Amino acid sequence: MKLGKVEFCHFLQILALFLCLSGMNQAELSRSRSKPYFQSGRTRTKRSWVWNQFFVLEEYMGTDPLYVGKLHSDVDKGDGSIKYILSGEGASSIFIIDENTGDIHATKRLDREEQAYYTLRAQALDRLTNKPVEPESEFVIKIQDINDNEPKFLDGPYTAGVPEMSPVGTSVVQVTATDADDPTYGNSARVVYSILQGQPYFSVEPKTGVIKTALPNMDREAKDQYLLVIQAKDMVGQNGGLSGTTSVTVTLTDVNDNPPRFPRRSYQYNVPESLPVASVVARIKAADADMGPNAEMEYKIVDGDGLGVFKISVDKDTQEGIITIQKELDFEAKTSYTLRIEAANMHVDPRFLSLGPFSDMTTVKIIVEDVDEPPVFTSRLYSMVVSEAAKVGTIIGTVAAHDPDASNSPVRYSIDRNTDLERYFNIDANSGVITTAKSLDRETNAIHNITVLAMESQNPAQVGRGYVAITILDINDNAPEFAMEYETTVCENAQPGQVIQKISAVDKDDPPNGHQFYFSLTAEAANNHNFTLQDNKDNTATVLTRRNGFRRQEQSVFYLPIFIVDSGSPSLSSTNTLTIRVCDCDADGIAQTCNAEAYILPAGLSTGALIAILACVLTLLVLVLLIVTMRRRKKEPLIFDEERDIRENIVRYDDEGGGEEDTEAFDMAALRNLNIIRDTKTRRDVTPEIQFLSRPTFKSIPDNVIFREFIWERLKEADVDPCAPPYDSLQTYAFEGNGSVAESLSSLDSISSNSDQNYDYLSDWGPRFKRLADMYGTGPECLYS
């Protein structure tokens, strides 16, 4: 009859408990048989008890305290005079002792994995005197292990990788399970490994836990990941042993076992001939089932007629071959190109060369499409020269452009005026001849860079650009002049032949051999007795004194005209005046003051007096300005001159109504209902004491009556009209009615109207209304007539 797992565990516990009790009883027996003996003098007394280890089975599940063992001393005669006490680890809390019999019991369930043994001390005391009858002794209670802990994978779950196509037996990873039971006692901690999930691809070593491949040629491209379940079982894997499991995720890593292959044997792409250089023409890709470095490829053009026109490179991210243009395409020159392109793996594994070559070929045909291109100049840059003395209309050079298309459309030329803002040049629209349009000056602009536009006659949107650099050749058209404004001084105590100034000249022209200037005094100044000029022959000249005894009181400033001639052909000259001031100098010849006015001021007039005079003059000027301003600001009379025509004056009133909310400025009822009787209202612009007759009031006739009568009259006229058509026709009339109930917006009627308004009151309003009174008055008795 076979025992189950639970029954077997209970059997082992009972057996271990039996053996423990038997051992303790034997120990007790041996202790009770040992007789103490006494030795007088310096003799050693034999101990009355000898302690051995006590063993207690862990995980006791009974309701009564577990009996551990018994303490007994030979001194104990069984009359109750001896009592036993217990101290140390777990005394009283876990272990208790019967002080009369010495029986030790465990009151709590013990776990060896928490504490494997307890060290205690026991002593026998005289009950009456409470003195020890024997020395204290130490003993150990050891917890005996049972199989109550299953193996555990402390590092699980596991992940591991193994290269695809690995041979059988390739190690993948090692798993380790630990058992908390006592490895020195029985088989409770002896673990064996087995695989529950993952066959037939992997296996595990029972004793070491090493997982290995069990099948050859596992292909990552078919399946790249496997989930394994590993079991660890104690009791050497026997029935009744405890077990634990863990999962292991095994990933097949990639190897280069797949060569690249193009999906198609040939490709065709159309590109316009206007596509710029370095543009992408096409992207092709060879398929490779591998990944990472094993899928890296390189592309190259191995054959074809476009080797120098196109190139191919690889996109590192997508592993695509990118075909780009190296040279400009021209449909008129070549309409198609054929390329043979090879794709090959960069990292080849020699183990898999038997699978075939790790490269592939394909054909790419590129069709060039014709586009309408702009005209092309025969040269990208034209260099021309022209003299700055050239007359307007002088031909400088010619540019030429043609339409590269098969249609060869005629070309018209023009100058981009953004590059010739001053319009110095013109170009013939048909021939491309460039001529001068203005006089040129090299000193203003030595080089003109202009852009010439060439447009197709049939399609002006197609514009080509050519660049022309026009260099202006120099002529001698600028006379030399002083290099700077000289401030020359001569001391009053200067000696004859003393150098007072060194001068030089500049010329805006740029002769090819450099400048050469000649200096001399003009004919008028050549015989002066004050200064002379010496030409240094190095484009400089020196001014020297001819006499001494210069005095500021006599003459404070001298003007010396100097004649300068250049070496151009023809040569140009100019006369430049050098201003020389006479100054008072110190002993070192440094000018101190050059003011000659200090010597010519009146003796009795000081600087303070001059300031006072100036202040008085300014005060008088301010007063005069104030008087003139006050007179101009006097008010003009309110009454106009009689001869002034009031029709020439426009009076502006910036007075606006108050809007819809303003009911004071006008009668709202009159606006809402026009068919009302108007009352006589006085003018607001007439003073209260002046009264005049207003228009008589009238009651307006309803508009519908007026218009009905008008239409009835027109209808009768049409009925008797012999020229009217015999069929019904539409008659249109423009009729505004007899008048407006709002009357005229003007307070004045035309003199030719039949108005009965009396305007005699205008004569009472003064000279301003004299002209109106003359125009609208009724009698000659009006004032100011």
Side-chain angles (χ1 to χ4, degrees):
M1 179 176 177
K2 293 185 179 180
L3 295 176
K5 180 178 179 181
V6 178
E7 290 82 356
F8 183 74
C9 290
H10 289 170
F11 172 75
L12 291 177
Q13 292 176 357
I14 295 171
L15 180 61
L17 179 61
F18 175 76
L19 292 176
C20 181
L21 292 177
S22 299
M24 289 187 293
N25 292 335
Q26 293 296 328
E28 179 186 352
L29 225 81
S30 65
R31 289 195 298 273
S32 64
R33 291 175 182 173
S34 63
K35 301 292 184 178
Y37 66 94
F38 300 91
Q39 189 176 8
S40 61
R42 300 182 60 177
T43 59
R44 179 182 177 185
T45 304
K46 183 180 179 181
R47 294 186 59 174
S48 300
W49 46 20
V50 178
W51 305 107
N52 291 325
Q53 291 182 348
F54 288 139
F55 293 91
V56 180
L57 198 65
E58 69 170 337
E59 303 295 345
Y60 173 69
M61 305 298 292
T63 57
D64 297 331
L66 177 63
Y67 180 75
V68 178
K70 184 180 181 65
L71 299 180
H72 184 73
S73 175
D74 291 342
V75 180
D76 187 2
K77 303 301 182 181
D79 54 0
S81 61
I82 301 299
K83 70 175 181 179
Y84 301 92
I85 62 174
L86 193 65
S87 62
E89 290 181 303
S92 301
S93 61
I94 299 176
F95 302 102
I96 60 174
I97 188 170
D98 190 328
E99 64 179 11
N100 295 319
T101 63
D103 293 335
I104 301 174
H105 291 81
T107 61
K108 295 183 178 180
R109 183 171 62 87
L110 302 175
D111 189 358
R112 189 201 68 83
E113 285 72 37
E114 292 182 2
Q115 188 165 346
Y117 62 89
Y118 296 86
T119 302
L120 295 95
R121 293 180 298 278
Q123 195 168 31
L125 301 177
D126 187 283
R127 190 180 293 278
L128 296 177
T129 62
N130 207 28
K131 292 183 178 180
V133 296
E134 288 191 16
E136 186 180 55
S137 183
E138 187 176 84
F139 67 96
V140 175
I141 297 177
K142 191 171 183 180
I143 311 302
Q144 195 169 10
D145 183 49
I146 65 172
N147 189 18
D148 60 341
N149 290 279
E150 73 277 2
K152 294 182 178 179
F153 293 91
L154 301 180
D155 298 329
Y158 296 84
T159 58
V162 64
E164 63 174 331
M165 311 299 289
S166 296
V168 176
T170 302
S171 177
V172 179
V173 68
Q174 183 178 15
V175 296
T176 303
T178 58
D179 196 317
D181 293 325
D182 189 359
T184 63
Y185 178 76
N187 295 325
S188 299
R190 295 182 61 185
V191 178
V192 294
Y193 301 93
S194 62
I195 182 168
L196 301 181
Q197 178 180 324
Q199 297 98 342
Y201 306 102
F202 298 92
S203 63
V204 63
E205 288 286 341
K207 294 183 179 181
T208 62
V210 175
I211 300 174
K212 298 181 179 180
T213 58
L215 284 181
N217 301 328
M218 285 191 291
D219 192 2
R220 184 197 66 83
E221 288 73 32
K223 185 177 181 180
D224 62 346
Q225 198 172 77
Y226 298 85
L227 180 63
L228 282 62
V229 178
I230 306 298
Q231 175 184 264
K233 190 174 184 180
D234 59 14
M235 299 299 292
V236 201
Q238 298 177 1
N239 290 335
L242 303 179
S243 64
T245 60
T246 188
S247 63
V248 180
T249 302
V250 180
T251 302
L252 296 183
T253 58
D254 185 55
V255 297
N256 192 5
D257 59 337
N258 293 279
R261 291 290 180 264
F262 282 106
R264 297 164 56 183
R265 292 293 91 192
S266 63
Y267 298 85
Q268 180 172 317
Y269 299 96
N270 294 348
V271 295
E273 64 173 333
S274 59
L275 203 63
V277 174
S279 298
V280 176
V281 174
R283 285 175 175 263
I284 60 174
K285 184 177 182 180
D288 193 331
D290 297 321
M291 59 185 296
N294 297 317
E296 291 181 358
M297 283 176 282
E298 58 180 354
Y299 298 86
K300 59 183 178 180
I301 302 174
V302 296
D303 195 9
D305 54 0
L307 288 174
V309 182
F310 302 93
K311 71 173 182 178
I312 188 168
S313 59
V314 64
D315 187 330
K316 299 296 183 182
D317 296 328
T318 62
Q319 297 301 315
E320 292 178 308
I322 305 174
I323 303 175
T324 55
I325 300 176
Q326 277 188 303
K327 293 182 179 179
E328 292 183 353
L329 302 177
D330 188 359
F331 173 82
E332 287 72 25
K334 192 172 180 61
T335 60
S336 65
Y337 297 88
T338 301
L339 308 175
R340 290 283 294 167
I341 296 178
E342 179 187 57
N345 278 137
M346 297 181 64
H347 310 287
V348 179
D349 194 334
R351 296 177 298 172
F352 306 105
L353 289 176
S354 59
L355 299 177
F358 281 76
S359 63
D360 197 17
M361 300 281 292
T362 189
T363 301
V364 177
K365 187 174 183 179
I366 299 174
I367 306 298
V368 181
E369 296 178 343
D370 187 24
V371 296
D372 190 5
E373 299 176 275
V376 178
F377 282 88
T378 56
S379 175
R380 294 185 60 86
L381 177 64
Y382 295 88
S383 296
M384 302 179 183
V385 295
V386 63
S387 172
E388 64 176 326
K391 296 181 179 180
V392 174
T394 300
I395 296 176
I396 302 174
T398 304
V399 296
H402 68 281
D403 183 7
D405 298 319
S407 60
N408 195 17
S409 175
V411 175
R412 294 182 62 82
Y413 302 93
S414 63
I415 294 177
D416 185 357
R417 291 305 176 183
N418 291 325
T419 61
D420 185 25
L421 297 176
E422 300 295 331
R423 295 180 177 267
Y424 285 109
F425 307 99
N426 287 329
I427 187 170
D428 188 276
N430 297 317
S431 63
V433 174
I434 299 176
T435 58
T436 57
K438 283 185 178 181
S439 298
L440 303 176
D441 186 8
R442 189 204 65 85
E443 288 71 34
T444 302
N445 192 353
I447 298 177
H448 295 265
N449 293 303
I450 63 174
T451 301
V452 178
L453 307 179
M455 294 175 290
E456 291 185 11
S457 299
Q458 298 178 359
N459 186 6
Q462 295 296 333
V463 179
R465 284 174 169 78
Y467 303 96
V468 181
I470 302 175
T471 302
I472 310 303
L473 299 180
D474 185 44
I475 63 171
N476 190 23
D477 59 343
N478 291 277
E481 57 187 12
F482 278 158
M484 57 180 293
E485 292 290 336
Y486 294 102
E487 294 182 0
T488 307
T489 60
V490 60
C491 296
E492 290 183 314
N493 55 357
Q495 299 299 319
Q498 181 176 338
V499 176
I500 62 173
Q501 184 68 59
K502 186 176 183 180
I503 61 174
S504 61
V506 293
D507 194 329
K508 294 180 180 179
D509 294 322
D510 187 18
N513 297 325
H515 289 288
Q516 180 63 47
F517 301 118
Y518 304 96
F519 300 87
S520 63
L521 294 178
T522 61
E524 296 81 3
N527 297 322
N528 78 89
H529 302 288
N530 300 312
F531 305 98
T532 185
L533 182 70
Q534 178 181 339
D535 192 342
N536 298 326
K537 307 300 182 181
D538 60 354
N539 291 338
T540 63
T542 304
V543 179
L544 303 95
T545 58
R546 277 189 172 182
R547 66 178 179 87
N548 58 0
F550 293 95
R551 293 181 60 82
R552 285 178 293 167
Q553 294 86 345
E554 297 177 357
Q555 186 173 351
S556 61
V557 180
F558 292 89
Y559 298 99
L560 185 65
I562 298 176
F563 187 70
I564 308 175
V565 182
D566 61 17
S567 58
S569 179
S571 62
L572 296 179
S573 62
S574 66
T575 300
N576 298 264
T577 301
L578 182 67
T579 302
I580 304 173
R581 296 184 179 276
V582 181
C583 300
D584 181 22
C585 304
D586 57 11
D588 297 328
I590 299 175
Q592 298 298 314
T593 177
C594 301
N595 188 6
E597 284 74 13
Y599 294 92
I600 62 176
L601 287 175
L605 193 59
S606 64
T607 305
L610 288 175
I611 294 175
I613 293 173
L614 291 175
C616 293
V617 172
L618 290 175
T619 303
L620 291 175
L621 288 176
V622 171
L623 289 175
V624 170
L625 290 175
L626 287 175
I627 293 171
V628 171
T629 303
M630 293 300 294
R631 287 184 176 181
R632 287 185 177 181
R633 296 187 60 180
K634 284 185 177 181
K635 294 183 178 180
E636 296 181 359
L638 298 177
I639 300 176
F640 290 102
D641 190 277
E642 294 183 1
E643 298 299 325
R644 183 178 300 176
D645 192 349
I646 61 173
R647 289 177 296 179
E648 297 177 356
N649 299 315
I650 298 176
V651 181
R652 176 179 174 183
Y653 297 93
D654 292 330
D655 185 14
E656 298 180 357
E660 296 179 357
E661 301 299 328
D662 185 3
T663 58
E664 299 295 332
F666 50 86
D667 189 357
M668 294 294 293
L671 295 179
R672 294 193 180 100
N673 187 9
L674 297 178
N675 298 323
I676 61 171
I677 299 176
R678 294 177 55 90
D679 296 330
T680 302
K681 295 184 181 292
T682 58
R683 286 168 48 98
R684 294 186 180 182
D685 56 344
V686 180
T687 54
E689 62 272 10
I690 300 176
Q691 299 293 334
F692 60 91
L693 295 176
S694 62
R695 294 184 181 181
T697 60
F698 65 94
K699 180 177 293 186
S700 61
I701 303 174
D703 289 340
N704 55 354
V705 176
I706 297 173
F707 288 101
R708 185 165 54 250
E709 293 178 353
F710 176 80
I711 294 174
W712 182 253
E713 292 176 359
R714 301 286 86 75
L715 180 59
K716 289 190 296 182
E717 292 177 359
D719 289 340
V720 297
D721 187 3
C723 298
Y727 49 83
D728 293 340
S729 62
L730 177 64
Q731 301 292 328
T732 304
Y733 303 98
F735 177 63
E736 297 181 356
N738 293 331
S740 172
V741 294
E743 299 185 6
S744 173
L745 296 179
S746 173
S747 61
L748 303 178
D749 282 343
S750 174
I751 193 169
S752 62
S753 65
N754 297 325
S755 173
D756 57 354
Q757 176 71 45
N758 185 3
Y759 295 101
D760 294 340
Y761 60 86
L762 294 176
S763 301
D764 301 331
W765 287 8
R768 292 188 182 183
F769 299 92
K770 176 179 178 297
R771 185 61 58 86
L772 290 176
D774 293 342
M775 295 172 60
Y776 297 101
T778 57
E781 66 276 4
C782 294
L783 297 176
Y784 310 103
S785 56

